[in-house]
Amino acid sequence: YPRGVEVDSSGNVFIVSGWQGTILKVATDGTTTTVSGPVGNCADAAGCTIGIDSHDNLYVPYRYGAQRIAPNGTVTDISVVMPGDDEYGIYVYGVTVDNLDNVYVSGNLGHVIRRVTPDGGVTTVAGTYNTIGYTGDGGPATSAKLNYPGAIGTDLGGNIYFATNDGSCGCGVVRRVERPLAPAEVGATGAVGATGPSGLV
């Protein structure tokens, strides 16, 4: 039951194995080793995604945040819980990292996308916490409603893509959030339509 897959800067492939409850590293020479376990929330999430930053730290969904696994094996918990969250937080199913090393997580039960900056700041960039729905396309992402977001990724422009369903027919869809902005970046080139601390959904 392979779940998330990622590749580091050296071409090593990391595979989350839901059945084995481990993360497997396949080196460029084909050698397979176990990196870490357990695999947190990926064990029961077919749509799980993992991320790697510019320092080859691996990020895996874990409870109400993520675990960062350094190349030397050191594991650090990354919390994405914010004031006002209930005891269950948002329950993360997907993690991705952009080219500025911002970490984004999809909160499957909290119905939000959150960002963790390299200095540890946590912000909701899409969705309304604990409010399920499928509305807000074309408007500010933080006013939109999301429906159990799962797998997540970013492109080179910093736009976020996440898997979800439309809430009516149960059809799977991918939604996009325009590049989330820091307050000082509002109006920056390429931030079409962005009017606040996050872009449009």
Side-chain angles (χ1 to χ4, degrees), residues 1-5 15-22 24 39 42-46 48:
Y1 297 102
R3 306 299 194 193
V5 178
I15 305 168
V16 175
S17 171
W19 179 260
Q20 294 169 302
T22 58
L24 304 177
V39 297
C42 286
D44 61 356
C48 164

Side-chain angles (χ1 to χ4, degrees), residues 39 54 65 82 86 120 196 198:
V39 297
S54 64
M82 296 180 64
D86 62 27
S198 70

Side-chain angles (χ1 to χ4, degrees), residues 88-179:
Y88 299 107
I90 64 172
Y91 203 79
V92 175
Y93 264 13
V95 179
T96 189
V97 185
D98 70 13
N99 56 4
L100 298 177
D101 284 344
N102 295 299
V103 176
Y104 294 90
V105 302
S106 58
N108 187 261
L109 297 185
H111 311 293
V112 291
I113 305 297
R114 284 189 176 160
R115 173 180 60 198
V116 183
T117 58
D119 64 2
V122 180
T123 308
T124 297
V125 296
T128 304
Y129 175 69
N130 240 0
T131 306
I132 189 172
Y134 187 81
T135 62
D137 282 2
T142 49
S143 298
K145 293 180 182 177
L146 312 184
N147 193 351
Y148 296 106
I152 186 172
T154 58
D155 63 21
L156 292 177
N159 301 300
I160 303 168
Y161 301 83
F162 63 95
T164 183
N165 66 68
D166 72 0
S168 59
C169 70
C171 306
V173 298
V174 174
R175 297 179 81 182
R176 182 185 72 178
V177 180
E178 290 183 2
R179 182 174 71 93

Side-chain angles (χ1 to χ4, degrees), residues 5-15 24-28 35 50-58 69-71:
V5 178
E6 261 291 1
V7 182
D8 69 11
S9 61
S10 299
N12 300 302
V13 179
F14 297 84
I15 305 168
L24 304 177
K25 175 183 177 180
V26 183
T28 53
V35 174
I50 60 178
I52 290 182
D53 67 17
S54 64
H55 304 288
D56 286 338
N57 295 302
L58 183 66
I69 305 170

